[in-house]
Amino acid sequence: MTHYITYTFVLDASDPIFPSCVFVVFIQHEVNGNFIPNGEIRLRSLRGGQAEYVPTESLCEKDKLFILELARRNKFLRFRLAIATSETQTDFLYSFLHACYLVESKLSYSLQLASDSSGRIIGVSGKTLFSQCNQQDLPTMPDTFNTTITFIQPSAGPTPETQTYIEKLEREKAEREKNPPDNRGFIQKYWMYIALFVVIIMVNNGGGGAGGGS
């Protein structure tokens, strides 16, 4: 199953005073090389991840038999997003769904869209509701896909606490100005202790000499 997606722009009629621009994404699944429409995704905000899936076409019996045959053969269903980046250029994003898991999930699956920091879609992946199935006893499929849209957006990393760091530097500068460093030499700093030590040595030597004379 391949999903082919293009963008158009419509006005949100639910707000008659301030209508907003909506991205409309048309989805088609592939059956024997032919693209069959099944629904559309309305993206109200690429940055905020606000999206709604609306089924527009029902699966015919031929489509159901084709998907059931793929499920019994344990095949993967490929889908792609074709995103028109300009009037002349289209970017394609590919992913896969397990056909048997999709049938077991009664055509319910989530479509995960990954976007960059600017809100541009850069990746897509699909995930079914169940991750196991019985190929010999598959459930009856519904007439439409049940698609849930989720967004994966880059999370902002921790920002440096610039203000706190600046305040710390200012406190350290104030402390240095209040208590300037002592740049005197060793003798200039400790001359009193050195003089006291010399006096003690002289006294001891003097006391020893007088005792020897008597």
Side-chain angles (χ1 to χ4, degrees), residues 3-203:
H3 290 88
Y4 181 82
I5 290 187
T6 56
Y7 285 121
T8 59
F9 298 90
V10 298
L11 293 180
D12 185 6
S14 61
D15 189 350
I17 301 178
F18 299 104
S20 58
C21 189
V22 178
F23 296 95
V24 178
V25 179
F26 299 99
I27 304 182
Q28 300 174 337
H29 62 276
E30 185 183 24
V31 177
N32 292 323
N34 297 318
F35 292 103
I36 311 298
N38 64 61
E40 65 183 29
I41 299 174
R42 291 177 172 265
L43 302 172
R44 298 183 181 276
S45 172
L46 290 177
R47 288 182 177 272
Q50 301 176 8
E52 178 186 10
Y53 173 78
V54 179
T56 56
E57 300 288 341
S58 299
L59 291 173
C60 64
E61 291 301 320
K62 180 181 178 181
D63 293 351
K64 292 181 180 180
L65 291 175
F66 175 80
I67 297 175
L68 281 173
E69 180 62 23
L70 290 180
R72 293 191 180 98
R73 296 169 59 188
N74 201 30
K75 297 294 184 178
F76 285 90
L77 306 178
R78 188 180 69 162
F79 64 91
R80 75 178 182 181
L81 309 185
I83 302 175
T85 57
S86 66
E87 293 182 358
T88 59
Q89 182 177 351
T90 302
D91 294 337
F92 295 94
L93 301 175
Y94 294 86
S95 189
F96 302 87
L97 283 174
H98 197 286
C100 194
Y101 296 167
L102 183 62
V103 175
E104 188 70 26
S105 303
K106 296 185 177 181
L107 302 185
S108 295
Y109 72 101
S110 63
L111 193 65
Q112 298 175 329
L113 305 179
S115 65
D116 58 14
S117 57
S118 65
R120 183 172 60 93
I121 298 176
I122 58 175
V124 61
S125 64
K127 183 179 180 181
T128 55
L129 185 62
F130 299 108
S131 58
Q132 60 183 3
C133 67
N134 183 357
Q135 294 174 318
Q136 306 303 322
D137 186 20
L138 294 172
T140 302
M141 284 192 298
D143 295 331
T144 59
F145 290 94
N146 182 17
T147 306
T148 302
I149 309 299
T150 59
F151 284 83
I152 303 175
Q153 296 175 316
S155 58
T159 57
E161 297 182 0
T162 307
Q163 186 62 33
T164 303
Y165 182 70
I166 292 176
E167 292 176 356
K168 179 182 177 182
L169 293 179
E170 291 178 350
R171 287 196 302 269
E172 292 177 353
K173 181 180 179 181
E175 289 293 331
R176 288 195 299 268
E177 292 177 351
K178 184 184 300 183
N179 301 308
D182 193 348
N183 296 323
R184 295 178 299 171
F186 179 79
I187 296 178
Q188 291 177 324
K189 289 182 180 179
Y190 305 105
W191 67 270
M192 294 181 61
Y193 302 100
I194 296 173
L196 180 61
F197 179 74
V198 172
V199 170
I200 294 174
I201 294 297
M202 292 177 64
V203 169

